[in-house]
């Protein structure tokens, strides 16, 4: 009996299981993922935090007075020395729920805005990533598979898009749409909608996804199994869906964190320039912009969202690197031999 | 009586002879050195017939001259028009339609050319030939201006500006009396330039000047050097006094934060741009002696589009006026030292101003507190509750924060509001473009000259609204035929009785305020931060700090 069991072939793990096993051993990637998930959880708890703290992060509260150690403290402190010029927002109290990071120039709780801002930044970056991946993949698949005039037209179009500096293109599109919104036939997006930055960021990065996908599809198009399917009369859409798409999935997965990081940076830049998320809504970019006028007296207002962007982007990039290594076939071979 | 007159004359002579050496003494003691000014960017074209900015107008004062000018003095004296290139104020005839000036002799341009009556005629023609920004408004009343406006290139102003070479006189004929014509002639758009100045925007090329200084170098990306005009000899201390510094170096490109630090370190003497709000407290306590706070004839306001919902409803407009807490806005601007709450159009201490505030908790002369309940009630009555309002603001820290505050006010009284910050370079043009259908915006108006019409007639007359134009300065689109008729009456009355006209303007101010085509926010003050070495700081209410009347040594 025992010898029979020993003679049975060992059950091999599938490629996904191998990849996850490999990823799980990458401490840097897992730590980055943990950091990013904590940030995501914190940001998604923004409405709860604001409710618990009893603060409205979007309304001006210049006359608000808070209690610190039993004493009433105005949120905006007027200078009492000399000519008595200017008002300075309250600094960090380091008390959760009570202006933990202080106030901005409108007397709003920076901590609550930071969480709401992160929520918007993550939503925009995430949705823009999905937008880019869908349209980038579609363009890459069609161009690479059908070739000929379709490839030429699509590739030249992507080349034109690619030729523009990303930020210049994003800024131009934002300026054109920010005041009036977009109205194309039945599709109408109001100015101020988060869909505007999502679509703009999504569009400008399409070539970044489409070009490498097209390259991969071109190579797959001439592989034996695809040629065989074509010769057997399998429809093109089915070959794309069943044979080619599964073979580029790992590339798309690797793109997710990297594009997300890139999109977060772009969203912050656009919002910083007032052409992304519109006030009074917050994003990390708009909070940095608000904090710019307070750099001398309340530097944390600008520094903290800046730090949040840096940590999130770094975590996504490190995790993306780990994911790429894990999904790399050569790594799988090495793992298999171990 | 004769004795009394004689005594008075002697006293005046003595006073004059006592004062004159004092100024000469000061000049001897303090003349020389370089004043270094800073600004984030240049003020645009150097052409004084085109430039329409505070920054440009301030710098033209010691450089260019008109037939008349605003007196280079502090306080209300600075609003007084005095003879400049003309020997005296003009003689007025033909029922106030003809003004005759006699040109001073012996004045030269900085390039050595003599000033003559032909330069005056050519300068007036040039205002139209280059399609100057105020050619169709300030100077449209000159005889022949209509032809010049229709065909700029062949403008002659025939019969409008007539020179008599032999007598050295220039006669200005108007189509109808204009009580404000001297103010308009005292502005930089009417300065006298050499007759051979090309009839095109001179851009970065300096034009020869008659004042004590000339522009000797200019790079819009780096800076401007203003040095002494070697051909200048002082002809009138009140119109164009000689200056103290040898050179005024105006550098562009430093941020406001960096400019403050440069002035603190004594590396620069003054900055044009507003002080950064987060440095106010520090400067107000540690550098009090370097700060100068001066009143401005200006108005921060929020135009409400009277041709679009919801503000085509008077009650909806009044509701916003009731709900806005001016104290909060003053706070956002830096506090009570730097701004005062207002309800009405005309700024305090301005001709025609009489304190008036109907949109406050206790309506009367002054604003006291917002009346949010009344505002909510008016929104209900107007039937506009729940409508969407977009506020267009400049993308600057203060404008943005005012926009965000107004958004929360509108939300509180029942509207669905959002704010759009637009680049400062574009916002003013954007909100003036009627095609953009701006419902509400935040902007400012600074007087061109001290007359009530410069606020009321320009901002709220039917003629100032131009459908389809991108230069419709009546941003509210307000047009009330009765008020328009009253404004015309006040303009006509000003020709014969300015005091009575100002009374009428005060009544018009109240009527316009009641209709609430715009919400008055506050009156700002100018805060100048200068280096420790700057002496003799003088603030002119028309053109701000008189740069060359200060010394640095």
């Amino acid at each position: 009996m025992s010898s029979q069991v020993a003679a049975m072939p060992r059950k091999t793990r599938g490629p996904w299981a191998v990849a996850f096993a490999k990823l799980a051993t990458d401490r840097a990637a897992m730590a980055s993922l943990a950091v990013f998930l904590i940030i995501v959880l914190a940001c998604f708890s923004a409405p709860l935090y604001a409710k618990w703290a009893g603060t409205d992060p979007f309304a001006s509260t210049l006359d608000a007075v808070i209690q610190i150690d039993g004493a009433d403290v105005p949120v905006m402190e007027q200078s009492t020395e000399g000519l008595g010029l200017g008002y300075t927002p309250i600094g960090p109290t380091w008390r959760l729920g009570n202006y933990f990071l202080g106030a901005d120039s409108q007397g709003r709780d920076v901590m609550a805005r930071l969480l709401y801002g992160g929520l918007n930044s993550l939503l925009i970056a995430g949705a823009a990533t999905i937008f880019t991946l869908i349209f980038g993949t579609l363009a890459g698949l069609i161009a690479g598979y059908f070739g000929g005039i379709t490839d030429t037209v699509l590739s030249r179009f992507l080349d034109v898009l690619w030729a523009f500096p990303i930020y210049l293109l994003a800024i131009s599109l934002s300026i054109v749409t920010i005041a009036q919104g977009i109205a194309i036939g039945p599709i109408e997006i109001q100015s101020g909608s988060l869909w505007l930055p999502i679509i703009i960021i999504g569009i400008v990065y399409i070539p970044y996804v489409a070009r490498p996908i097209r390259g991969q599809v071109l190579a797959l198009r001439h592989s034996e199994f695809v040629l065989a399917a074509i010769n057997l009369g399998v429809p093109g859409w089915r070959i794309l869906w069943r044979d080619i798409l599964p073979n580029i999935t790992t590339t798309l997965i690797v793109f997710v964190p990297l594009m997300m990081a890139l999109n977060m940076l772009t969203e912050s830049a656009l919002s910083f320039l007032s052409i992304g998320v519109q006030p009074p809504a917050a994003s990390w970019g708009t909070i940095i912009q608000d904090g710019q006028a307070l750099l001398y007296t309340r530097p944390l207002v600008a520094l903290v969202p800046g730090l949040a962007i840096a940590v999130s982007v770094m975590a996504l990039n490190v995790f993306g690197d780990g994911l790429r290594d894990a999904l790399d076939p050569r790594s799988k071979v090495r793992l298999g031999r171990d | 009586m004769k004795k009394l007159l004689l005594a008075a004359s002697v006293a005046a002579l003595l006073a004059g002879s006592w004062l004159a050496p004092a100024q000469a003494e000061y000049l001897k003691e303090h003349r020389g050195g370089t004043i270094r000014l800073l600004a984030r960017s240049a003020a645009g074209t150097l052409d004084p017939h085109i430039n329409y900015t505070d920054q440009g107008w301030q710098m033209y004062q010691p450089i260019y001259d008109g037939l008349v000018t605003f007196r280079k003095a502090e306080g209300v004296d600075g609003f007084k028009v005095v003879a400049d290139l003309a020997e005296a104020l003009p003689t007025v005839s033909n029922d106030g339609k003809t003004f005759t000036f006699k040109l001073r002799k012996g004045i030269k341009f900085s390039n050595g050319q003599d000033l003559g009556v032909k330069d005056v005629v050519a300068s007036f023609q040039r205002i139209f030939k280059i399609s100057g920004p105020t050619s169709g408004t300030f100077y449209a009343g000159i005889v022949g201006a209509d032809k010049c406006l229709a065909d700029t290139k062949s403008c002659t102003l025939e019969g409008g500006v007539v020179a008599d070479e032999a007598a050295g006189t220039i006669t200005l004929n108007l189509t109808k009396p204009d009580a404000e014509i001297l103010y308009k002639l005292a502005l930089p758009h009417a300065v006298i330039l050499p007759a051979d100045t090309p009839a095109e925007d001179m851009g970065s090329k300096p034009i020869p000047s008659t004042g004590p200084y000339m522009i000797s170098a200019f790079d819009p990306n780096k800076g401007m050097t203003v040095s002494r005009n070697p051909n200048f000899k002082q002809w009138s201390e009140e119109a164009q006094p000689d200056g103290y510094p040898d050179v005024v170096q105006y550098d562009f490109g430093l941020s406001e934060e960096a400019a403050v630090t440069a002035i603190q370190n004594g590396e620069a003497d003054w900055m044009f741009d507003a002080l950064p709000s987060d440095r106010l407290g520090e400067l107000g306590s540690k550098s009090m002696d370097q700060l100068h706070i001066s009143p401005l004839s200006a108005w921060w306001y929020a135009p409400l589009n009277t041709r679009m919902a919801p503000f085509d409803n008077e009650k909806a407009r009044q509701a916003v006026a009731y709900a806005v807490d001016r104290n909060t806005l003053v706070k956002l601007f830096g506090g009570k030292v730097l701004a005062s709450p207002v309800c009405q159009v005309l700024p305090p201490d301005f001709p025609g101003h009489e304190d008036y505030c109907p949109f406050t908790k206790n309506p009367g002369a002054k604003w006291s507190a917002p009346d949010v309940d009344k505002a909510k009630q008016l929104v209900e009555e107007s039937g506009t509750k729940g409508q969407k309002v977009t506020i267009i603001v400049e993308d600057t820290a203060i404008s943005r924060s005012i926009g965000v505050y107004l958004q929360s006010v509108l939300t509180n009284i029942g509207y669905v509001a959002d704010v759009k910050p637009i680049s400062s370079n574009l916002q003013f043009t954007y909100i003036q473009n009627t095609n953009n259908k701006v419902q509400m915006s935040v902007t400012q108006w600074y007087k061109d000259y001290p007359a009530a019409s410069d606020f009321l007639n320009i901002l709220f007359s039917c003629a100032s609204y131009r459908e389809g134009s991108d230069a419709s300065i009546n941003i509210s689109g307000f047009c009330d035929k009765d008020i328009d008729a009253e404004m015309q009456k006040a303009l006509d009355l000003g020709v014969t009785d300015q005091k009575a006209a100002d009374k009428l303007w005060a009544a018009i101010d109240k009527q316009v305020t009641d209709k609430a085509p715009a919400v008055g926010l506050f009156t700002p003050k100018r805060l100048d931060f200068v280096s420790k070495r700057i002496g003799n700081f003088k603030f002119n209410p028309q053109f701000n700090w008189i740069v060359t009347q200060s010394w640095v040594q």
Side-chain angles (χ1 to χ4, degrees):
Chain A
M1 185 70 183
S2 61
S3 62
Q4 270 183 337
V5 171
M8 279 179 73
R10 255 194 328 173
K11 195 182 174 186
T12 53
R13 290 182 288 173
W16 292 109
V18 173
F20 281 121
K22 168 77 177 165
L23 184 63
T25 60
D26 187 336
R27 286 182 185 170
M30 294 317 287
S32 300
L33 181 64
V35 168
F36 183 69
L37 287 177
I38 290 169
I39 292 172
V40 172
L41 276 176
C43 292
F44 274 83
S45 71
L48 293 175
Y49 180 85
K51 199 176 174 188
W52 172 63
T55 183
D56 181 349
F58 307 115
S60 299
T61 49
L62 292 148
D63 297 321
V65 175
I66 59 167
Q67 284 222 322
I68 298 176
D69 297 332
D72 286 344
V73 180
V75 166
M76 301 295 288
E77 296 164 324
Q78 187 179 13
S79 171
T80 49
E81 291 173 39
L83 296 171
L85 296 178
Y87 285 80
T88 308
I90 190 171
T93 62
W94 306 121
R95 289 165 170 82
L96 271 175
N98 195 18
Y99 287 84
F100 181 75
L101 291 171
D104 66 5
S105 55
Q106 294 278 332
R108 299 173 296 198
D109 186 327
V110 174
M111 184 67 194
R113 280 184 68 76
L114 184 78
L115 297 178
Y116 268 105
L119 186 59
N120 278 340
S121 293
L122 289 167
L123 284 175
I124 291 170
T129 302
I130 294 168
F131 185 98
T132 305
L133 288 178
I134 289 173
F135 287 97
T137 306
L138 211 59
L141 281 172
I142 293 169
Y145 182 78
F146 292 106
I149 186 76
T150 312
D151 183 27
T152 309
V153 171
L154 266 174
S155 296
R156 293 302 78 80
F157 177 72
L158 292 173
D159 285 345
V160 170
L161 213 57
W162 187 281
F164 283 99
I166 286 297
Y167 282 95
L168 185 66
L169 184 60
I171 288 168
S172 309
L173 287 172
S174 299
I175 287 174
V176 170
T177 57
I178 207 75
Q180 308 285 3
I182 301 175
I184 306 168
I187 303 166
E188 192 177 333
I189 302 172
Q190 299 259 329
S191 64
S193 163
L194 289 188
W195 281 107
L196 278 179
I198 288 170
I199 292 171
I200 289 164
I201 297 168
I203 288 173
V204 297
Y205 283 115
I206 285 176
Y208 283 66
V209 172
R211 284 174 69 123
I213 295 294
R214 174 184 167 272
Q216 264 192 298
V217 175
L218 267 179
L220 288 166
R221 170 76 174 73
H222 297 104
S223 61
E224 287 175 358
F225 69 96
V226 172
L227 289 173
I230 292 169
N231 289 332
L232 284 171
V234 179
W237 66 267
R238 193 181 162 91
I239 296 172
L240 280 172
W241 181 252
R242 295 291 296 270
D243 299 314
I244 293 180
L245 193 59
N247 279 288
I248 57 169
T249 310
T250 51
T251 309
L252 292 177
I253 290 172
V254 171
F255 262 128
V256 171
L258 301 177
M259 288 309 301
M260 181 99 178
L262 215 52
N263 289 346
M264 281 188 84
L265 286 174
T266 311
E267 183 281 321
S268 302
L270 292 182
S271 296
F272 177 76
L273 296 172
S274 297
I275 45 181
V277 173
Q278 295 297 294
S283 93
W284 285 338
T286 59
I287 302 172
I288 295 176
Q289 189 198 42
D290 292 341
Q292 201 187 11
L294 297 167
L295 269 181
Y296 192 74
T297 46
R298 296 287 176 246
L300 277 186
V301 179
L303 283 178
V304 174
L307 201 66
I309 294 169
V311 171
S312 304
V313 169
M314 204 166 77
L316 282 166
N317 280 331
V318 173
F319 176 68
D321 282 350
L323 202 58
R324 188 194 56 210
D325 291 346
L327 293 170
D328 186 341
R330 283 167 301 176
S331 303
K332 274 183 266 181
V333 171
R334 282 198 298 275
L335 193 71
R337 281 177 185 167
D338 285 341
Chain B
M1 189 65 184
K2 266 187 178 176
K3 272 185 185 174
L4 195 65
L5 275 175
L6 188 68
S9 308
V10 171
L13 253 172
L14 280 173
S17 57
W18 180 77
L19 280 175
Q23 200 232 353
E25 281 298 311
Y26 274 139
L27 269 172
K28 206 191 283 179
E29 194 183 337
H30 297 293
R31 193 179 167 92
T34 300
I35 289 186
R36 187 180 175 221
L37 315 178
L38 300 173
R40 191 179 259 276
S41 60
T45 176
L46 276 189
D47 198 321
H49 281 170
I50 296 177
N51 191 303
Y52 202 179
T53 66
D54 250 15
Q55 192 181 355
W57 281 18
Q58 180 184 29
M59 278 316 296
Y60 292 146
Q61 293 317 299
I63 298 172
Y64 295 104
D65 296 278
L67 291 171
V68 292
T69 190
F70 286 96
R71 198 175 160 196
K72 305 281 187 299
E74 296 179 283
V76 284
D77 281 352
F79 277 147
K80 197 179 158 198
V81 174
V82 293
D84 191 357
L85 294 178
E87 281 183 0
L89 288 177
T91 51
V92 185
S93 56
N94 189 22
D95 294 329
K97 289 192 285 187
T98 298
F99 294 75
T100 307
F101 299 88
K102 183 154 175 51
L103 202 62
R104 289 183 200 269
K105 286 178 184 161
I107 294 176
K108 285 176 183 287
F109 285 103
S110 52
N111 61 358
Q113 269 178 249
D114 287 321
L115 169 81
V117 289
K118 66 178 190 314
D119 300 307
V120 180
V121 176
S123 293
F124 276 96
Q125 290 171 350
R126 189 173 182 272
I127 296 171
F128 294 91
K129 283 181 177 174
I130 56 164
S131 296
T134 49
S135 57
T137 50
F138 293 172
Y139 310 109
I142 299 173
V143 170
D146 50 349
K147 282 184 191 163
C148 288
L149 288 166
D151 181 8
T152 54
K153 295 293 166 209
S154 57
C155 175
T156 57
L157 282 177
E158 196 183 343
V161 182
V162 183
D164 184 336
E165 190 87 46
T169 60
I170 300 101
T171 306
L172 190 72
N173 291 308
L174 304 180
T175 52
K176 64 174 192 169
D178 181 354
E180 293 157 11
I181 190 67
L182 288 185
Y183 290 143
K184 295 168 184 173
L185 295 179
L187 297 176
H189 288 169
V191 296
I192 308 305
L193 305 174
D196 55 2
T197 305
E200 61 190 28
D201 182 354
M202 295 297 281
S204 301
K205 204 174 167 195
I207 302 172
S209 55
T210 45
Y213 293 87
M214 59 183 192
I215 300 168
S216 47
F218 180 74
D219 179 338
N221 297 315
K222 287 184 181 168
M224 173 168 79
T225 307
V226 175
S227 53
R228 286 195 187 277
N229 171 3
N231 298 308
F232 174 79
K233 279 178 195 153
Q234 183 175 298
W235 60 80
S236 164
E237 193 189 327
E238 61 177 2
Q240 192 55 286
D242 197 4
Y244 291 99
D246 285 339
V247 176
V248 177
Q249 180 60 41
Y250 209 145
D251 292 330
F252 310 130
L254 273 192
S255 69
E256 289 87 339
E257 288 282 354
V260 167
T261 308
I263 296 167
Q264 279 177 323
N265 294 341
E267 292 158 358
D269 297 298
W270 175 84
M271 59 191 277
F272 168 76
D273 304 289
L275 293 174
S277 55
D278 64 339
R279 304 294 292 271
L280 291 177
E282 172 213 2
L283 296 174
S285 58
K286 292 181 185 165
S287 310
M288 279 168 64
D289 51 337
Q290 290 169 255
L291 288 173
H292 298 270
I293 300 167
S294 318
L296 289 174
S297 302
W299 192 43
W300 274 72
Y301 69 111
L304 306 171
N305 195 332
T306 58
R307 291 166 191 249
M308 273 186 78
F311 300 125
D312 52 353
N313 186 310
E314 193 175 314
K315 284 185 177 175
R317 300 197 298 269
Q318 289 172 337
V320 181
Y322 271 112
V324 171
D325 185 344
R326 272 75 170 180
N327 272 346
T328 298
L329 296 165
V330 164
K331 218 179 240 190
L332 287 171
F333 196 71
K336 285 183 178 165
V337 183
L338 296 180
S340 327
V342 288
C343 286
Q344 64 199 107
V345 181
L346 294 178
D349 302 323
F350 202 70
H353 173 92
E354 278 175 19
D355 284 342
Y356 180 61
C357 186
F359 306 119
T360 177
K361 205 115 205 177
N362 302 301
K366 296 271 185 188
W367 184 87
S368 57
D371 192 340
V372 180
D373 293 337
K374 173 90 178 166
K376 284 179 177 171
Q377 181 199 327
L378 283 167
V379 172
E380 288 284 353
E381 287 173 13
S382 69
T384 58
K385 193 173 178 181
Q387 292 193 12
K388 197 173 181 304
V389 179
T390 299
I391 311 163
I392 306 288
V393 298
E394 272 181 85
D395 193 14
T396 59
I398 288 173
S399 276
R400 222 174 27 242
S401 50
I402 290 174
V404 169
Y405 166 71
L406 292 177
Q407 186 268 343
S408 61
V409 168
L410 291 178
T411 307
N412 188 30
I413 60 173
Y415 294 110
V416 179
D418 62 355
V419 192
K420 293 276 163 300
I422 291 184
S423 164
S424 306
N425 302 327
L426 304 173
Q427 193 254 6
F428 195 52
T429 314
Y430 186 89
I431 61 175
Q432 284 187 77
N433 189 333
T434 57
N435 294 326
N436 289 330
K437 307 211 177 301
V438 174
Q439 290 171 296
M440 183 174 178
S441 53
V442 174
T443 189
Q444 315 104 51
W445 184 253
Y446 289 77
K447 53 101 198 50
D448 293 299
Y449 51 81
S453 68
D454 193 46
F455 280 79
L456 292 163
N457 192 41
I458 289 187
L459 299 180
F460 299 110
S461 69
C462 298
S464 296
Y465 177 76
R466 291 172 198 161
E467 182 75 57
S469 158
D470 64 353
S472 183
I473 192 62
N474 182 345
I475 300 163
S476 309
F478 179 74
C479 178
D480 183 305
K481 298 285 179 200
D482 295 338
I483 293 178
D484 238 36
E486 287 289 292
M487 287 202 258
Q488 196 49 56
K489 211 165 130 189
L491 283 168
D492 294 341
L493 188 59
V495 178
T496 51
D497 188 348
Q498 192 55 53
K499 274 193 175 173
D502 285 344
K503 271 270 173 217
L504 191 50
W505 281 117
I508 295 166
D509 187 18
K510 288 173 186 170
Q511 289 168 31
V512 173
T513 303
D514 286 342
K515 297 268 179 188
V519 179
L521 304 178
F522 56 86
T523 306
K525 286 183 183 144
R526 170 83 201 175
L527 183 61
D528 287 297
F529 178 46
V530 298
S531 68
K532 281 184 179 159
R533 66 185 192 137
I534 287 283
N536 203 35
F537 183 95
K538 284 185 177 173
F539 189 88
N540 176 270
Q542 177 63 29
F543 296 117
N544 301 348
W545 175 38
I546 316 173
V547 178
T548 53
Q549 289 307 296
S550 290
W551 56 65
V552 287
Q553 61 181 41

